[in-house]
Amino acid sequence: MQSLRSRIVPALLATWMLSASGPNAQEPSAEKPNAQPERSESGNESSPSPQQEPRRGRRRAGARRRGLMVIEAGVVPPVSGPPIEDGVVVIRGERILAVGRQGELQLPPNTEVLQFPEGHVYPGLVDASTDAFTDAGLQKDGSLNGGSAISEALVWTGDRDDMLTEHGVTTAYINVRSSAQLRGQGAVVRPMRGGFELWEDREQAALQLRMAVGSGAQHPLQRQAQLTATGKLFDGLEEYRDGLEKFEKDLEKYNEEFEKYLDHHRKKSGKADKKPEEGEAKAAEEPKPSSESPPAEGRRRGRGPGGRRRPGGGGRDERAADPDTDRAAMEQTLATLLALLANEAEDAAGSQGSLRSSAPVARIEQDPAPQSKPPQGKPPQGKPPQGKESKDDKKKSDGPKRPKYPKKPRNDPQKDALAKVIDGAIPLRIEAHRVEELRAALRLQRDNDVPQIVLEQAYAAGLVADEIAEQGATVVLTNVMPNALGDAGDKRNPFAKFDLTKLPKQLEDAGVPFAIASGRARLASVLPLMGAAAVGGGISAEAALRAMTLTPAEILGVAEDTGSLTREKYADVLVTNGPLFASDTRVLLVLSKGRKEFERQ
Amino acid sequence: MIRTLLTCSLSLALAPIAAAQQDVTAFTNARVVAGGKPAMAAATLVIASGKIVALGASDKVTLPEGATVVDCEGKTITPGLIDASFMAGLNGEDANEQSDEVTPHLRILDSLDPADPMFRRARRDGVTTAHVMPGTMNVIGGLGCVIKTAGDDPDAMLVKQDASMRIVMGSEPSMRNRAPRGGRVESMYYRRPTSRMGVVWAVRRAFFDAQEAMQKTRGAPDQGRPSPGVEVLTQVLQGKLTAVTTARSEQDLRTALRLADEFGYRTVLDEAQDAYMLADEIAAQRATVMLGAPSATAVSGGGSRDGASPRSGTVRALANKGVTFVITTGTNSRRLPLIREAMFAARNGLGPQQALDAITIEPAKLLGVDDRIGSLAPGKDADLVIWSQDPLDPAAVAESVYIDGKSVSQIR
Amino acid sequence: MQTSPTCTVAAALLAALATPALAQDLLVKAGRVVVAPGTTLENSALLVRDGKIAYVGKDIPAEARARARTVDLGDHTVSAGFVLAATTLDADADLGEGALAFTPDLRVAEAFDAWGKRLEHLAPHGVTSFGLTPSPRNVAGGIGILAKPGKDRGRVAEADAFVGFSLVRAARSQERDPTSLMGARAMLREAFDAARTGAEVGPDLAVLRQVMSGARRAVVYADTFAELNAALALGAQFNFAPVIIGGSEASKVVDKLAERSAGVVLGTMSPTNRIADLELPGKLAAAGVPFCFAGQPAQMRVSAALAVRHGLPREAAHAALTRTPATMLGRQAEVGSLRQGCSADFVVFDGDLLDLSARHVATWVDGVHVHGQSHSHSSKHSKASR
């Protein structure tokens, strides 16, 4: 049926071809050098490294040499527009160059053309919720918190659950269903045949919150109490951020005052200005604690030994040991130096006093040694150098006091993540099932001005669709299959009455954007059936397709690069031998960024 | 000399057929312990179509054309081991039919799952044939079978269907039973026997009934067939079927011998931890012993209640008295591989050849399957184990295991 | 009890109205009529008389066509109703004699509740007939029936359809004999032996005799490798081809099932099943082993769609819902297809029923509409899946 052969097109645009395979062809990879595949056994290594060392990849060379790839097929629904009969998709490197009707596009000669006369070409599917690349330990890890980054614990096991590409999934959002309330930050990945790569800047793509109450709470009031407790999620965030801000301000003030203090002593000591300068430079490059350190610590906590370290247990000491200690130690050395300088100046002033002053110097030299070790993050206070200094100040001058180093608030990765949510950097994804849970989620958004929330599962969303639409929330549906929640006649099952196949239609009517996702890696092969079931529930096939491609791409914030067959997007392409939603349709070819990830023999 | 000539001619005669079949394998330069006779230093073993076709000194055996040659320099080849008391991983329910204490006609074969991981473990340890018996919760549990340890169809794995009938002495058959209390019976376990006496009573009753039935049918052959249980017991009484009596302690062993004497059947004593105490009596009654794990120091199942006190010198005591015995893994809770049990026996006074025979040819004879397995000889099943060194060496590993000429386990 | 007297009277009246004697012929027109798996007539019709298919398509005489009441289903697809090969309708307690394990001559028909609540869950999912088996808790449970749901009440279509056996754990854990697989096998073997050799046999062994002579079908509950082996061995020894219910480890004995011409009634599948399970129907079909799905009525069509998604050809999947289970119960002349003479049991979908995008529109049993839209206008929802 599908002939797969090379075709020679008359040499009409040889020059164009030259330019296409010439420097221009490298353009995409030059733009996004990071996007090169990095296949490795473990997820940690596959996160894009900040430095771009030259890659030994034969793929890179191949991608450059390949130049153009053309796919012709009977039907091409690009999702971003109406379906194209006898369409053609032109791919250059890892991006789509053009999408159109066959014959409309002029092809350079010697172009490899993959022909699927009966086939359908879709954008690669975007699975907005899956547990692929996670191991059982992570899935059940109840100690996850808002600061945990799922991306750092991903593994490639190579079992069938991880084979997303062979079912056409080229982008996936990974989250886990642990029993924790805040379940870490999910990651957007690009699955591939031998592993996956993290989507740059989307390693921490959303914060996962579980609004669904546990099975223990049977009574509605009991459930309500739990939900109210969840509503206090953002409590204390304001204070935390104020604290951080205050610290930054204090730090600035401290630097200024310290500068003044130094100046005073420089003037006093006159000639000795080299060493204080050094100290000044150090003080200037002191890290800004709020901006850089939190992610680093979040990482450490998420991946700590065994991943089971209690927050605030051993970690606290480790944190305390970092910048504060350094700063304190440095300060002390500085103070000692200053004292020495002051003594020197005194000596210079009157050489006769040398006998008198030799005793204090000796004391100063002795004392700092034991003090420099256990400073516990506090600036030295009442210590001999300072004591002497202040005594000198009182006695000899009324210059500025030595400023006190401001108290640094404890870093809280979870609060940092919540702050990102409040700032709109990442959405808050809330798993909620019942009506009251969904309402609680919406209330949480209203009360705290959360810019973006995504509701997950949302079985009862049909009943509150209008409220969801009003607040501009989006929904990620899983289990979109007939009787997915049990037999409708089962009275004991509170969810059995929800027909999830009808849910897409209800959301569509209310104007709520929704994605249809597998929810579990094992269900990747069933994803098209879920789309079909949604069509059976009343939406159009186009809408169902959109719910598995462009809408999830938008929800994940990657719609600029994937989700439809559009010029300049990644060449994420799924070729099937029939309509995607027919049960017996088989995947023929899957391209991810223009690479063949799966091909049916 | 004559034998060598014979094997030569045999292999020559078989060569054309073998070449056509393409499944001839020759193991050369091996030390071969054929079973029942001393080891051969540098020998060649030829197998084809699942059977052994030739065995002889390497310079005497002509290799058939087209044979796959496996050089076994430095290795030892033994027959596939036979575990005469193999505990398949049957869950408790399926190994025992608990609705009755006396179920002589039930076949453990019916409950066997060929995919049982215990079989895989057995193959890895060089055990190619297993004698599986019903569990020990019944007084007369049923019929044991002899099967190969590789395959996915119990019928195809079968070597001998009804190889033995198990009788159990001691505390296990009565363990779960309760006497009715307050006249209420709420479970089928409210029944006899509840004691050692009751267990013996149940055996005696069963054989008594069988004798009665035999006499009746003799008088009136038209009475129809006796019930299947009675039929099996009759076979035991007539000496057509081996009775295996599982008994551990001295008193249970004596009871087992007494019952056999009383009804005139011969029995194999299974487990027999205390056999050293009454080696003379066993020898006198010409009973054979399936020694459950020579290394066992603690007896599982029933345990201390049966009061057995195992000794490592049991094997020597039995050998000295001329008692025929085989070594099994039995119910040893530590689950040593069979070859290690033989090693243990060899280190406690048994000759190396005798120790190996006790897990190859002797169990084959005991179970009546020595025409097919148990030793390496032309015409027998190609069940063999290639050991990394002398199998009685503690570091010996079963590198390759063959069942019916097919490799079933490879360790490299 | 469950229904008020008025309801009962009303139902009786309705039932009376629907009785064949008074009924006019019914002409069912549809865009596609799937007469049997693989045989589809475009723009065709069925003529229903007395609850049976009298004529199909071109064979319908013009005068009958003129006289009949017409139901126009537009461009919808009509297929034979689903046959649920084996179920106990959650009435195990009534379908298994607790004290005894061996009761092959008990009759399920005598425990059939025509007004049972569970019957209401069949037609909404397209099930138009079902095999009601004795409980799997009995080694030999009794004689199963072919029954049907109806508009108000179900009915027994065939009171003497097959004999049910069981080797699964449920049959061995009832505090009576047998407690082991070997005990269960011995029980059946002895009984069959006695039935074969005994001169005069009681009613229970007479049933087994009919199984051996091929006059009666045998269904056997078996799940594990050992149980499946046991069921097949029993069939081989006593010369019958069992229909196996359960077969969760059937993938291990596919070749043997084919060799012994045994069929398998698989449990209905859900998307969360292991891939190997989802692929099993395709493997069975490739090996030529007849199979079908039974379990949750609601999941029958989903199971077929999942199987198609994982490699099963459409035709085989459609057969697994209709013709194969009918054949397994020996009732292929009455149910499972829309051929002449079969019961007018059909389901109406607005597309191919194996695509989940198609919606179930209606169910008809014995020429009577029992669920969904009674007659359709041209469907306004067009399938735009391509």
Side-chain angles (χ1 to χ4, degrees):
Chain A
M1 291 172 284
Q2 282 76 28
S3 62
L4 189 86
R5 62 180 176 82
S6 290
R7 199 173 64 169
I8 309 293
V9 176
L12 277 172
L13 290 170
T15 46
W16 185 77
M17 163 68 188
L18 265 176
S19 71
S21 59
N24 277 357
Q26 287 172 26
E27 214 173 288
S29 43
E31 278 168 18
K32 290 248 172 191
N34 246 0
Q36 281 298 322
E38 187 173 340
R39 299 181 181 221
S40 67
E41 290 298 306
S42 92
N44 295 329
E45 285 165 26
S46 72
S47 62
S49 52
Q51 300 151 328
Q52 290 304 306
E53 72 268 346
R55 279 169 211 270
R56 68 212 131 82
R58 100 200 120 71
R59 278 197 176 271
R60 186 195 177 96
R64 192 186 301 157
R65 214 181 304 126
R66 193 168 53 207
L68 286 181
M69 182 194 268
V70 178
I71 299 172
E72 292 184 356
V75 184
V76 179
V79 177
S80 51
I84 304 164
E85 299 268 323
D86 294 327
V88 58
V89 179
V90 185
I91 293 159
R92 186 175 61 189
E94 61 182 28
R95 303 251 169 197
I96 295 169
L97 188 62
V99 180
R101 196 176 289 277
Q102 284 169 36
E104 282 178 359
L105 295 172
Q106 280 291 12
L107 298 178
N110 300 323
T111 309
E112 188 191 5
V113 177
L114 306 175
Q115 289 185 317
F116 304 93
E118 305 287 313
H120 292 226
V121 179
Y122 296 94
L125 303 183
V126 180
D127 193 345
S129 172
T130 177
D131 60 1
F133 315 121
T134 58
D135 56 14
L138 180 62
Q139 283 159 17
K140 288 186 203 128
D141 190 353
S143 67
L144 288 175
N145 63 37
S148 325
I150 300 290
S151 61
E152 289 170 353
L154 298 184
V155 286
W156 162 254
T157 54
D159 59 17
R160 297 200 61 159
D161 287 359
D162 289 350
M163 308 291 184
L164 296 187
T165 42
E166 69 182 65
H167 304 299
V169 177
T170 55
T171 307
Y173 173 80
I174 317 285
N175 54 3
V176 293
R177 292 185 183 176
S178 83
S179 56
Q181 192 192 28
L182 274 166
R183 296 155 156 181
Q185 298 166 54
V188 178
V189 304
R190 300 186 57 86
M192 40 175 82
R193 188 158 40 187
F196 61 91
E197 64 180 17
L198 288 164
W199 193 296
E200 204 188 345
D201 299 336
R202 293 278 151 201
E203 294 97 338
Q204 288 156 38
L207 180 61
Q208 295 288 137
L209 171 67
R210 179 170 184 273
M211 186 64 96
V213 295
S215 54
Q218 290 299 326
H219 195 278
L221 288 178
Q222 228 173 332
R223 290 205 295 266
Q224 206 54 51
Q226 281 194 20
L227 295 177
T228 313
T230 315
K232 299 196 184 345
L233 185 68
F234 291 96
D235 284 10
L237 182 62
E238 206 65 15
E239 288 80 353
Y240 174 73
R241 300 187 86 180
D242 288 350
L244 281 181
E245 247 168 61
K246 185 168 172 291
F247 174 66
E248 265 180 67
K249 272 184 200 153
D250 287 354
L251 196 65
E252 246 169 66
K253 206 170 135 201
Y254 169 82
N255 283 339
E256 270 170 35
E257 282 177 5
F258 199 79
E259 192 75 11
K260 277 183 206 157
Y261 173 67
L262 282 178
D263 279 349
H264 174 76
H265 279 275
R266 249 184 241 131
K267 276 179 211 147
K268 240 181 93 183
S269 58
K271 55 178 182 179
D273 50 351
K274 256 193 179 173
K275 278 173 184 173
E277 231 170 39
E278 214 172 294
E280 186 191 351
K282 269 194 179 173
E285 67 189 32
E286 191 67 20
K288 299 241 172 358
S290 67
S291 59
E292 268 135 66
S293 54
E297 295 206 353
R299 199 161 291 149
R300 191 183 303 137
R301 292 179 70 177
R303 285 292 286 173
R308 300 226 170 255
R309 187 189 297 166
R310 290 210 175 157
R316 195 179 286 165
D317 299 342
E318 214 176 298
R319 268 196 303 283
D322 303 339
D324 288 0
T325 320
D326 289 353
R327 151 69 77 165
M330 194 199 69
E331 219 172 290
Q332 189 155 1
T333 352
L334 204 61
T336 317
L337 279 169
L338 284 170
L340 281 167
L341 285 170
N343 282 331
E344 261 178 18
E346 265 178 10
D347 286 354
S351 58
Q352 287 164 342
S354 63
L355 274 174
R356 267 180 291 142
S357 62
S358 63
V361 171
R363 208 177 70 215
I364 291 159
E365 273 179 343
Q366 267 179 354
D367 278 345
Q371 278 160 9
S372 64
K373 273 182 188 166
Q376 295 297 332
K378 283 177 189 162
Q381 286 174 336
K383 296 292 183 312
Q386 203 184 353
K388 184 180 169 8
E389 208 68 47
S390 56
K391 214 192 282 169
D392 285 352
D393 286 349
K394 271 179 196 164
K395 274 182 187 171
K396 294 180 179 175
S397 71
D398 51 353
K401 270 194 181 173
R402 189 179 176 285
K404 226 171 136 186
Y405 189 76
K407 191 166 182 273
K408 192 188 164 196
R410 196 158 68 84
N411 265 320
D412 186 339
Q414 176 155 316
K415 291 236 160 64
D416 292 330
L418 288 169
K420 278 201 278 180
V421 167
I422 291 290
D423 294 343
I426 56 173
L428 183 64
R429 288 180 55 134
I430 307 175
E431 179 188 328
H433 304 146
R434 297 176 167 92
V435 170
E436 68 255 40
E437 293 160 9
L438 289 164
R439 288 219 168 101
L442 294 172
R443 198 180 318 120
L444 185 72
Q445 182 185 23
R446 274 199 308 273
D447 294 352
N448 298 284
D449 296 322
V450 182
Q452 301 176 59
I453 66 164
V454 180
L455 298 170
E456 288 184 350
Q457 303 187 14
Y459 301 149
L463 301 172
V464 288
D466 292 332
E467 291 165 52
I468 296 172
E470 205 175 299
Q471 279 187 224
T474 49
V475 179
V476 172
L477 298 173
T478 45
N479 292 329
V480 182
M481 287 290 273
N483 321 299
L485 301 178
D487 196 352
D490 188 355
K491 294 273 188 300
R492 283 163 302 178
N493 182 348
F495 297 119
K497 59 178 178 287
F498 297 116
D499 184 351
L500 294 189
T501 61
K502 300 232 164 69
L503 199 43
K505 173 72 175 157
Q506 291 160 342
L507 293 175
E508 188 184 53
D509 289 347
V512 178
F514 61 92
I516 296 173
S518 68
R520 291 171 70 178
R522 172 184 281 187
L523 300 186
S525 65
V526 185
L527 197 51
L529 287 191
M530 295 184 180
V535 173
I539 62 172
S540 68
E542 284 79 8
L545 180 60
R546 196 181 200 285
M548 295 159 68
T549 52
L550 195 51
T551 310
E554 284 162 2
I555 290 173
L556 301 181
V558 293
E560 276 190 15
D561 286 317
T562 191
S564 64
L565 296 175
T566 310
R567 190 181 148 80
E568 282 305 307
K569 283 199 183 182
Y570 284 140
D572 297 341
V573 176
L574 161 64
V575 184
T576 61
N577 66 352
L580 185 61
F581 297 139
S583 297
D584 56 351
T585 293
R586 303 275 173 263
V587 174
L588 299 177
L589 176 72
V590 178
L591 302 182
S592 174
K593 283 188 185 173
R595 290 185 313 268
K596 273 181 198 167
E597 290 294 345
F598 175 77
E599 189 168 10
R600 188 168 296 273
Q601 299 306 320
Chain B
M1 191 62 207
I2 293 162
R3 179 191 296 272
T4 320
L5 280 173
L6 192 74
T7 49
C8 283
S9 59
L10 232 172
S11 61
L12 281 173
L14 273 162
I17 312 164
Q21 284 168 341
Q22 290 293 319
D23 66 346
V24 184
T25 310
F27 303 93
T28 58
N29 302 319
R31 176 173 170 266
V32 175
V33 186
K37 56 188 177 186
M40 303 160 78
T44 292
L45 177 72
V46 184
I47 63 172
S49 304
K51 296 280 178 193
I52 295 166
V53 291
L55 171 66
S58 278
D59 49 351
K60 300 276 171 56
V61 176
T62 320
L63 293 182
E65 229 174 282
T68 314
V69 178
V70 181
D71 187 8
C72 299
E73 180 75 53
K75 317 273 189 218
T76 298
I77 299 181
T78 67
L81 309 185
I82 301 171
D83 193 342
S85 174
F86 181 78
M87 293 235 302
L90 290 164
N91 44 39
E93 286 89 2
D94 278 342
N96 301 283
E97 173 55 47
Q98 307 229 14
S99 57
D100 197 355
E101 293 305 327
V102 179
T103 54
H105 60 295
L106 291 188
R107 294 187 177 127
I108 192 65
L109 180 67
D110 286 345
S111 280
L112 276 187
D113 178 359
D116 192 328
M118 284 295 281
F119 284 120
R120 195 173 59 233
R121 189 184 302 176
R123 292 197 293 272
R124 193 194 59 200
D125 293 337
V127 175
T128 58
T129 307
H131 175 221
V132 189
M133 291 180 285
T136 52
M137 302 301 283
N138 283 13
V139 177
I140 297 182
L143 296 161
C145 63
V146 181
I147 67 168
K148 297 278 177 87
T149 55
D152 55 6
D153 180 357
D155 293 332
M157 293 157 75
L158 201 61
V159 179
K160 189 173 181 186
Q161 176 149 301
D162 298 336
S164 65
M165 185 193 80
R166 188 176 220 176
I167 306 169
V168 185
M169 294 286 112
S171 58
E172 274 174 281
S174 57
M175 248 163 66
R176 289 177 67 180
N177 290 351
R178 301 277 177 278
R181 289 193 188 119
R184 278 158 57 93
V185 175
E186 288 155 342
S187 152
M188 68 179 185
Y189 295 106
Y190 287 93
R191 64 171 189 219
R192 283 186 294 190
T194 64
S195 68
R196 261 197 171 76
M197 297 183 295
V199 170
V200 180
W201 175 85
V203 179
R204 194 171 274 133
R205 166 82 188 261
F207 279 116
F208 181 79
D209 285 352
Q211 278 178 337
E212 292 269 286
M214 275 165 79
Q215 270 156 12
K216 256 188 212 160
T217 33
R218 207 171 292 146
D222 299 339
Q223 288 261 312
R225 283 166 57 189
S227 81
V230 168
E231 214 171 331
V232 171
L233 291 168
T234 309
Q235 283 179 1
V236 171
L237 291 176
Q238 289 167 346
K240 292 177 192 162
L241 181 67
T242 313
V244 174
T245 312
T246 301
R248 298 192 177 97
S249 67
E250 193 250 9
Q251 60 159 326
D252 290 336
L253 286 165
R254 276 188 206 286
T255 313
L257 290 175
R258 195 170 57 242
L259 276 171
D261 192 40
E262 186 177 328
F263 288 96
Y265 63 89
R266 279 185 62 196
T267 184
V268 176
L269 298 173
D270 177 39
E271 298 287 297
Q273 313 286 354
D274 277 355
Y276 63 93
M277 294 189 194
L278 62 171
D280 287 326
E281 288 91 328
I282 295 171
Q285 212 169 314
R286 291 181 31 248
T288 42
V289 173
M290 284 175 12
L291 189 62
S295 76
T297 49
V299 182
S300 72
S304 55
R305 223 170 353 145
D306 277 357
S309 41
R311 294 280 191 281
S312 48
T314 307
V315 277
R316 195 177 50 208
L318 293 176
N320 287 345
K321 299 286 180 191
V323 175
T324 312
F325 69 94
V326 305
I327 292 170
T328 72
T329 54
T331 48
N332 183 10
S333 54
R334 285 192 302 170
R335 294 241 168 117
L336 277 189
L338 186 58
I339 190 71
R340 298 281 179 268
E341 295 291 358
M343 179 195 85
F344 187 91
R347 288 175 174 227
N348 283 284
L350 213 56
Q353 193 204 319
Q354 212 176 354
L356 279 180
D357 285 352
I359 53 173
T360 52
I361 186 66
E362 290 299 336
K365 283 179 184 163
L366 182 89
L367 300 166
V369 290
D370 54 328
D371 55 328
R372 270 183 70 184
I373 54 172
S375 62
L376 299 174
K380 283 196 166 185
D381 289 1
D383 297 354
L384 52 106
V385 187
I386 302 175
W387 301 91
S388 58
Q389 52 216 297
D390 179 18
L392 296 179
D393 188 293
V397 170
E399 286 186 346
S400 313
V401 181
Y402 290 81
I403 293 182
D404 294 328
K406 289 190 197 73
S407 170
V408 295
S409 170
Q410 290 280 338
I411 295 173
R412 289 266 171 248
Chain C
M1 282 150 281
Q2 306 131 322
T3 42
S4 68
T6 33
C7 273
T8 319
V9 171
L13 273 171
L14 280 169
L17 283 173
T19 43
L22 297 171
Q24 195 184 359
D25 283 359
L26 192 69
L27 184 71
V28 181
K29 286 166 125 179
R32 269 168 308 282
V33 177
V34 187
V35 177
T39 313
T40 304
L41 306 176
E42 300 280 337
N43 289 319
S44 192
L46 300 166
L47 189 86
V48 178
R49 180 174 292 163
D50 296 346
K52 292 198 186 303
I53 309 275
Y55 301 101
V56 180
K58 286 181 306 213
D59 300 342
I60 305 175
E63 47 96 24
R65 190 184 274 268
R67 267 192 290 131
R69 181 167 70 90
T70 302
V71 171
D72 192 350
L73 297 172
D75 62 354
H76 287 167
T77 303
V78 171
S79 152
F82 303 160
V83 181
L84 183 61
T87 177
T88 53
L89 291 180
D90 294 349
D92 280 34
D94 261 349
L95 297 176
E97 181 51 46
L100 300 167
F102 186 78
T103 56
D105 52 334
L106 294 194
R107 305 178 77 83
V108 167
E110 281 153 5
F112 177 68
D113 177 7
W115 299 92
K117 277 278 170 210
R118 298 294 300 179
L119 287 174
E120 292 167 17
H121 295 300
L122 297 171
H125 301 297
V127 176
T128 55
S129 52
F130 59 96
L132 190 64
T133 70
S135 158
R137 291 185 301 183
N138 284 32
V139 173
I143 294 165
I145 61 172
L146 183 78
K148 289 181 164 197
K151 193 159 183 64
D152 317 291
R153 49 176 288 187
R155 71 175 179 93
V156 178
E158 173 56 58
D160 196 348
F162 57 88
V163 195
F165 298 96
S166 172
L167 292 166
V168 293
R169 179 150 300 284
R172 323 199 291 263
S173 56
Q174 304 291 327
E175 282 252 334
R176 48 137 170 77
D177 69 329
T179 69
S180 64
L181 182 57
M182 59 177 178
R185 288 181 73 170
M187 177 181 269
L188 286 177
R189 200 161 37 219
E190 279 161 29
F192 272 101
D193 242 347
R196 180 149 70 184
T197 52
E200 259 178 61
V201 296
D204 49 352
L205 296 189
V207 171
L208 301 193
R209 236 180 218 192
Q210 288 163 339
V211 170
M212 283 187 284
S213 70
R216 210 188 274 277
R217 305 241 155 193
V219 304
V220 186
Y221 280 92
D223 267 323
T224 65
F225 192 15
E227 289 159 11
L228 290 167
N229 268 326
L232 291 170
L234 192 73
Q237 191 179 351
F238 297 103
N239 193 32
F240 65 93
V243 171
I244 285 162
I245 308 176
S248 50
E249 291 186 12
S251 56
K252 293 181 181 170
V253 290
V254 172
D255 294 340
K256 228 190 245 184
L257 288 167
E259 193 185 310
R260 305 265 159 89
S261 1
V264 187
V265 181
L266 299 169
T268 46
M269 303 194 294
S270 101
T272 48
N273 282 21
R274 288 177 306 156
I275 297 277
D277 292 338
L278 297 176
E279 285 174 347
L280 179 59
K283 282 183 193 145
L284 290 172
V289 178
F291 69 93
C292 62
F293 302 103
Q296 292 208 11
Q299 287 292 104
M300 284 184 74
R301 180 177 160 231
V302 175
S303 300
L306 281 168
V308 170
R309 175 78 193 139
H310 291 91
L312 183 70
R314 266 176 197 268
E315 199 180 312
H318 191 242
L321 292 175
T322 56
R323 191 178 57 198
T324 309
T327 312
M328 279 178 180
L329 303 180
R331 299 289 140 197
Q332 68 273 26
E334 293 139 57
V335 294
S337 68
L338 294 179
R339 297 199 183 284
Q340 206 168 5
C342 284
S343 293
D345 300 344
F346 53 88
V347 287
V348 185
F349 279 84
D350 68 351
D352 188 325
L353 64 89
L354 292 170
D355 290 332
L356 295 183
S357 50
R359 269 172 292 181
H360 180 206
V361 177
T363 305
W364 294 63
V365 178
D366 292 329
V368 178
H369 167 258
V370 295
H371 170 79
Q373 294 172 21
S374 53
H375 56 84
S376 164
H377 20 83
S378 61
S379 89
K380 60 177 180 209
H381 175 79
S382 65
K383 297 261 76 57
S385 60
R386 48 211 75 200

